[in-house]
Amino acid sequence: MSNAHLLTGHVLTFSGDPFVTPWADAVHLGENSAVLIEDGRITALGDAAKAQGAHAARHDYTGHLICPGFIDAHAHYPQTGIIASWGKRLIDWLNTYTFPEEMRFGDPAYAQATAARYLDLLLDHGTTSVASFCTIHPSSVEALFTAAAERNMAVVAGKTCMDRNAPDGLRDSAQSAYDDSKALLDRWHRRGRAHYAITPRFSPTSTENQMAALGTLWAEHPDALMQTHLSEQVDEIAWVRGLYPTARDYLDTYEQHGLLGARGLYGHAIHLVPREVDRLREVGAGLVHCPTSNTFIGSGLFDLMGLAGAGLRVGLATDTGGGSSFSMLRSMAAAYEIAQLRGVAVHAAQLLWLATAGAARVLHRADEIGQIAPGLAADLCVLDLASTPAIAQRHAQAEDIWDAVFPTIMMGDDRAVADVWVAGVRRT
Ligand code: GUN
Ligand code: ZN
């Protein structure tokens, strides 16, 4: 049996969406179970894995939790260097910290170094896939996809398009955004594990001409994703209203230009009006919850239970570097805290689903990543459930397996990541 690995430990699996069916029916934690990997893919679970994997290389993760690799459904790799920058809300934060840093990506060497550092940080944190914005520079996209291919990571990315309300040196045009995005899409979409996302940054930084051009590109390439921002801060929404006087609401600025669809990823989506919620549900669009960002930049409290419970598709993300952490564990903890502020407790099973299968669904890659199931890629994160003295002493008091997992979600960081597997290869 070539290239076979048998991993033993607690194994997390899913059979449904734990926000629309009771979590206990949708999420399963197989204690002392097993995963068999052959040639980069998961081929068997549980007793079948143990039986078929008799001759496989053995990896004993007893007491650890074997999860799908985490999927960060919205991030900005070019903001790696300015994460945790103090004191600003969204628009001032963009102008003060983000745009000057993104300007530096005109230098391909800087983009390459940052892309490599960023992906290594993700893997340190157990994140095996990301949907990332790049900058307006096509070479920033090349840098990320190239670094991802070197690590065999399934990454979604796109050139960020902006042709107004951004500084000199950080604007393209409607035509060049179309041309550059098309060239990158043709070159990278479905090449290896790369998927392309057409990426208008957000309505305020695109003219209607640019929005329309990108809508046309999406119509010509309906298999591509589209990623952007939606209704993050109240001031931003007022600004959008002034810039798009004929739009019914923020979502309509996208809808009017062909930028609303099932393969659309809408980051934040905090301050939605009922029409927007209805339309997002009707088209099956993906919402991306960015909890550490929403508190760090002071944006608001995403209605996770209301929206996911109503059947909208939701994934979880760091929104690095508006978000204050690279860690999806920290993002799960922040999602829990925000829901508590709204009066509801999200279960650990639901949090883990959001960071894996839920995120894979909004990325339209559930047939490849986000679950531990035969046929899927062996992208895995192995969590030590007692990784620090503080967590270990709480873990020692756990009453059941879920109670043993929850302290790591709330208090864990990269120290909890015992091992990461990407396409069946253990990261050393
Ligand atoms: N809205 C437009 N651009 C950005 C960005 O880079 N980060 C966040 N959090 N919101 C945005
Ligand atoms: Zn963002």
Side-chain angles (χ1 to χ4, degrees):
M1 193 181 289
S2 70
N3 222 350
H5 300 274
L6 183 70
L7 285 54
T8 50
H10 306 319
V11 178
L12 181 70
T13 57
F14 306 117
S15 58
D17 175 344
F19 288 90
V20 298
T21 53
W23 67 262
D25 297 337
V27 183
H28 314 282
L29 234 166
E31 296 186 50
N32 303 314
S33 185
V35 181
L36 181 63
I37 300 172
E38 292 169 282
D39 296 326
R41 299 208 162 264
I42 297 159
T43 51
L45 300 182
D47 290 342
K50 290 177 188 169
Q52 292 170 34
H55 304 294
R58 303 181 80 86
H59 304 268
D60 182 1
Y61 295 123
T62 302
H64 287 20
L65 178 63
I66 305 171
C67 310
F70 296 135
I71 301 170
D72 186 343
H74 177 120
H76 301 255
Y77 96 83
Q79 298 169 15
T80 299
I82 55 122
I83 191 169
S85 289
W86 184 83
K88 304 289 181 192
R89 291 169 61 83
L90 178 59
I91 306 304
D92 288 343
W93 175 84
L94 285 172
N95 287 318
T96 307
Y97 298 118
T98 306
F99 291 158
E101 179 67 11
E102 292 193 9
M103 209 90 82
R104 301 177 71 181
F105 286 71
D107 172 5
Y110 189 72
Q112 286 158 17
T114 307
R117 178 159 19 101
Y118 173 73
L119 292 180
D120 287 340
L121 280 166
L122 287 194
L123 292 171
D124 290 345
H125 288 84
T127 299
T128 49
S129 286
V130 63
S132 182
F133 289 59
C134 299
T135 65
I136 69 151
H137 313 96
S139 56
S140 73
V141 184
E142 291 287 333
L144 187 65
F145 277 138
T146 301
E150 285 165 5
R151 291 160 180 76
N152 209 3
M153 293 170 72
V155 160
V156 176
K159 177 198 122 72
T160 296
C161 300
M162 300 197 274
D163 67 343
R164 64 167 158 173
N165 294 318
D168 288 348
L170 217 52
R171 288 192 307 273
D172 49 20
S173 67
Q175 188 65 47
S176 74
Y178 174 92
D179 292 343
D180 289 346
S181 300
K182 179 170 170 45
L184 288 162
L185 196 163
D186 287 342
R187 180 165 151 74
W188 284 105
H189 187 54
R190 295 192 184 275
R191 175 171 165 187
R193 304 191 78 190
H195 282 198
Y196 195 81
I198 296 164
T199 307
R201 180 178 214 114
F202 67 153
S203 302
T205 47
S206 290
T207 60
E208 299 211 31
N209 279 345
Q210 182 170 85
M211 298 277 268
L214 295 175
T216 299
L217 181 62
W218 200 15
E220 291 164 354
H221 299 274
D223 182 55
L225 294 152
M226 193 288 303
Q227 60 181 349
T228 191
H229 297 86
L230 175 68
S231 293
E232 182 175 0
Q233 290 209 342
V234 172
D235 297 359
E236 171 210 12
I237 297 166
W239 191 25
V240 168
R241 200 173 292 124
L243 291 170
Y244 292 83
T246 67
R248 289 168 289 183
D249 45 47
Y250 197 150
L251 185 67
D252 202 29
T253 65
Y254 297 121
E255 189 168 1
Q256 285 182 341
H257 298 98
L259 294 170
L260 175 62
R263 288 180 173 266
L265 299 166
Y266 302 86
H268 304 280
I270 300 168
H271 309 282
L272 300 176
V273 299
R275 191 201 81 88
E276 293 176 302
V277 174
D278 291 345
R279 283 300 287 145
L280 289 161
R281 190 199 300 105
E282 274 166 25
V283 305
L287 305 191
V288 188
H289 184 17
C290 306
T292 74
S293 172
N294 296 344
T295 52
F296 183 76
I297 315 187
S299 302
L301 308 179
F302 179 76
D303 182 12
L304 172 61
M305 287 305 219
L307 292 165
L312 280 89
R313 300 181 161 213
V314 181
L316 188 66
T318 62
D319 191 31
T320 298
S324 55
S325 174
F326 295 96
S327 169
M328 292 301 290
L329 288 172
R330 177 70 202 112
S331 300
M332 289 180 235
Y336 178 82
E337 290 162 353
I338 289 175
Q340 282 284 58
L341 287 169
R342 298 187 65 105
V344 282
V346 188
H347 195 270
Q350 295 171 307
L351 295 166
L352 285 163
W353 182 89
L354 280 178
T356 56
R361 189 174 67 175
V362 301
L363 266 46
H364 289 258
R365 300 188 79 159
D367 57 348
E368 179 192 2
I369 56 175
Q371 290 221 50
I372 300 180
L376 272 70
D379 290 352
L380 302 171
C381 168
V382 182
L383 292 175
D384 176 352
L385 299 177
S387 61
T388 68
I391 297 173
Q393 62 86 35
R394 169 66 180 80
H395 177 264
Q397 302 224 19
E399 292 182 351
D400 59 39
I401 185 70
W402 284 112
D403 196 33
V405 169
F406 190 57
T408 288
I409 291 179
M410 292 309 299
M411 301 166 75
D413 53 29
D414 50 333
R415 291 169 291 180
V417 177
D419 259 334
V420 175
W421 292 74
V422 180
V425 176
R426 188 167 76 95
R427 187 170 182 249
T428 48

